[in-house]
Amino acid sequence: MRTLLRLFFLDFKLLAKNKWFYVKLIFFPSLLILILGSVFSDSSSKIEAFDVAFYTTDAGDAISFGDVLKDQVFKQGELKDTLHIKEVSSYDEGKSLVNDGKAAVFVYIPKHFTKNVIENKKTRIDFIGDNNKPIEKQIIQTVLSGFTKSVNTMSVEQQKVLGLIGDGGSIPKDKIEKIIKYIAEHDDMSVDIPKTGTGKKTVPIDSMQYYSIAMVVMFSIMTAFVLVHNIVDERGNHTLFRIRTTPVLNVQYVLGKLCGIVFAILMQMAAVIFISFIVFRMNWGNLFDIFVITVVYAFAIGSMVLCWGLIAKDHTSVSSMSSPILYIFSFLGGSFVTKSELPESFQIIQEIIPNGKAINSYLKVKQGAGISWIYVDLLELLAIGMIFVFINMFVFRRKKVA
């Protein structure tokens, strides 16, 4: 441990001579937060009420699930204040409203939808959304997804209830309507129809908060690359040779470098949190959870970047990889565009790469979740970091022999 600390303070001492590093480390992210605050200070990503064009040709014998969607589901709880239903008389009219920007989405319930659901036949709900309103589209998609699952469950439960009422004969329409209404309103009987993508207690994320998190994660990759340039310097000024003449283990050298990277990223995060809180009163959630995420993420991304620093022969080699990795990882991780705006195939990648996991974890904490909600991502980040620690030890040993 003493050797590890000595290596860490050696790195810190060398960095202290480079004043420009601290300018980039703290000033640039803080300046970016100020710019983001100026851009988003008068705007909010909270959803305002929007119009939904609705057209149904569905007609059931006793009840229409199309009417259930229009008159019950879309008018439940917070949804009734979030969206306004505009009934149209044709498919083309609904499509035109979306194309003209007069409705965010258009929902069409086809003929025999209820009949096909009850008879367990293949059916669909047509959905057309305005690409310029991705959040509104996502809300309606979530509601429709929950609704289609729910009506399938309802049809099964309805058959069971009807079987209990009596064998054979016809059931009055009012009784069937009461059964459907009871099923729809009782969570113990059917699948809940989600009203929004998050729970009632979830804290909403606005653009300022999202991009503050995303930009800090992006800058952390840049910071890691700046720090691994020191390895090239150590080879050039023979500092590495002097370190090797001491009884320093491979793991001590690697972890010593990682400690420096983790410390620098923690400083960066602390500066951004301080600036955003003082100037914009931005709440980051539980700061201990933020600290844990930052340490674990810095360990993972730092070990990956350190590997390239050990392999690179000179500063040019380090720089040649920094830009491609920075921009590719930042795009796929959700720093430039939100995860929901990425194609589905890219969303899978976003959940795998370290910076994507970090952004998702920060957002969950910001929304009120605790470690218990993100521990899987943290464990996976630790695993990534440990794998690259062993790789770095192997690479460092080969360099030592060379």
Side-chain angles (χ1 to χ4, degrees):
M1 179 59 71
R2 185 177 299 176
T3 302
L4 188 64
L5 290 174
R6 188 166 65 249
L7 289 171
F8 165 71
F9 283 116
L10 176 62
D11 262 6
F12 184 79
K13 184 178 180 180
L14 291 173
L15 287 174
K17 297 178 181 179
N18 186 357
K19 303 299 186 298
W20 180 242
F21 169 76
Y22 288 101
V23 171
K24 292 189 290 185
L25 179 68
I26 298 176
F27 177 74
F28 284 164
S30 300
L31 178 61
L32 183 60
I33 295 302
L34 295 175
I35 295 174
L36 287 173
S38 300
V39 172
F40 295 119
S41 59
D42 296 327
S43 64
S44 174
S45 62
K46 295 179 182 179
I47 299 299
E48 296 181 354
F50 59 93
D51 292 331
V52 175
F54 189 91
Y55 178 52
T56 177
T57 56
D58 179 43
D61 294 333
I63 194 167
S64 167
F65 281 140
D67 292 336
V68 170
L69 175 63
K70 173 174 62 74
D71 298 328
Q72 296 184 34
V73 177
F74 281 149
K75 294 181 180 179
Q76 290 186 69
E78 297 176 359
L79 276 183
K80 64 183 178 182
D81 299 322
T82 304
L83 53 89
H84 298 151
I85 300 298
K86 298 178 67 173
E87 293 190 62
V88 296
S89 57
S90 69
Y91 187 95
D92 290 337
E93 182 184 354
K95 187 176 179 180
S96 296
L97 288 177
V98 175
N99 291 337
D100 296 339
K102 297 179 180 179
V105 295
F106 169 50
V107 177
Y108 168 63
I109 309 298
K111 191 175 182 180
H112 302 311
F113 176 79
T114 300
K115 182 175 181 294
N116 290 334
V117 169
I118 293 176
E119 295 179 359
N120 200 24
K121 294 181 180 180
K122 187 176 181 180
T123 187
R124 74 184 194 280
I125 296 178
D126 287 358
F127 171 85
I128 299 175
D130 187 344
N131 289 331
N132 293 321
K133 299 178 180 179
I135 299 178
E136 289 83 349
K137 284 174 56 179
Q138 187 176 8
I139 288 176
I140 301 301
Q141 284 176 326
T142 301
V143 173
L144 293 180
S145 176
F147 175 73
T148 54
K149 292 178 182 178
S150 296
V151 294
N152 286 326
T153 304
M154 289 177 189
S155 65
V156 174
E157 294 169 345
Q158 179 189 7
Q159 296 301 325
K160 292 181 179 179
V161 175
L162 292 178
L164 294 176
I165 292 177
D167 297 328
S170 60
I171 306 299
K173 178 181 177 181
D174 61 333
K175 285 190 176 182
I176 295 180
E177 290 178 343
K178 288 180 181 179
I179 293 170
I180 294 294
K181 184 177 181 180
Y182 181 81
I183 291 173
E185 292 177 351
H186 288 74
D187 293 336
D188 58 336
M189 291 289 290
S190 63
V191 178
D192 182 34
I193 299 175
K195 302 176 182 62
T196 58
T198 56
K200 292 182 179 179
K201 296 182 179 179
T202 299
V203 179
I205 295 288
D206 60 29
S207 300
M208 166 66 180
Q209 294 166 332
Y210 179 88
Y211 283 108
S212 294
I213 293 171
M215 291 299 104
V216 170
V217 171
M218 183 184 75
F219 268 97
S220 66
I221 302 176
M222 183 186 301
T223 298
F225 268 105
V226 171
L227 289 173
V228 298
H229 276 280
N230 291 338
I231 299 176
V232 178
D233 289 333
E234 288 176 354
R235 287 201 294 265
N237 59 26
H238 305 292
T239 302
L240 185 57
F241 174 78
R242 292 193 294 272
I243 292 175
R244 287 174 174 174
T245 59
T246 62
V248 174
L249 301 176
N250 296 339
V251 66
Q252 291 174 327
Y253 179 82
V254 170
L255 292 180
K257 291 296 180 184
L258 282 177
C259 284
I261 294 175
V262 171
F263 178 73
I265 294 177
L266 277 172
M267 287 180 59
Q268 199 170 60
M269 175 60 77
V272 170
I273 290 176
F274 178 77
I275 293 294
S276 61
F277 176 76
I278 294 298
V279 180
F280 303 107
R281 295 297 174 183
M282 177 176 163
N283 179 20
W284 285 74
N286 189 303
L287 292 182
F288 176 77
D289 292 345
I290 295 293
F291 171 80
V292 172
I293 296 170
T294 305
V295 171
V296 175
Y297 164 65
F299 173 71
I301 197 69
S303 62
M304 294 175 66
V305 175
L306 180 60
C307 183
W308 179 248
L310 292 171
I311 295 173
K313 296 180 179 180
D314 50 37
H315 292 293
T316 302
S317 299
V318 176
S319 300
S320 65
M321 284 298 294
S322 61
S323 294
I325 290 179
L326 174 65
Y327 291 114
I328 292 174
F329 268 54
S330 296
F331 175 78
L332 294 176
S335 290
F336 296 149
V337 294
T338 61
K339 174 183 174 180
S340 61
E341 295 174 347
L342 291 171
E344 290 186 6
S345 57
F346 286 1
Q347 290 183 22
I348 297 174
I349 299 175
Q350 194 270 348
E351 295 177 353
I352 295 175
I353 58 179
N355 56 316
K357 287 182 177 295
I359 289 177
N360 295 340
S361 298
Y362 283 128
L363 290 176
K364 288 177 182 177
V365 169
K366 175 63 187 71
Q367 291 180 304
I371 294 294
S372 60
W373 287 80
I374 60 174
Y375 76 93
V376 174
D377 285 329
L378 295 181
L379 290 176
E380 289 173 349
L381 285 172
L382 282 174
I384 293 172
M386 290 303 301
I387 290 171
F388 276 92
V389 164
F390 287 112
I391 295 174
N392 289 331
M393 289 168 55
F394 174 78
V395 173
F396 180 68
R397 184 180 64 184
R398 293 292 298 270
K399 288 285 184 178
K400 184 175 181 179
V401 172

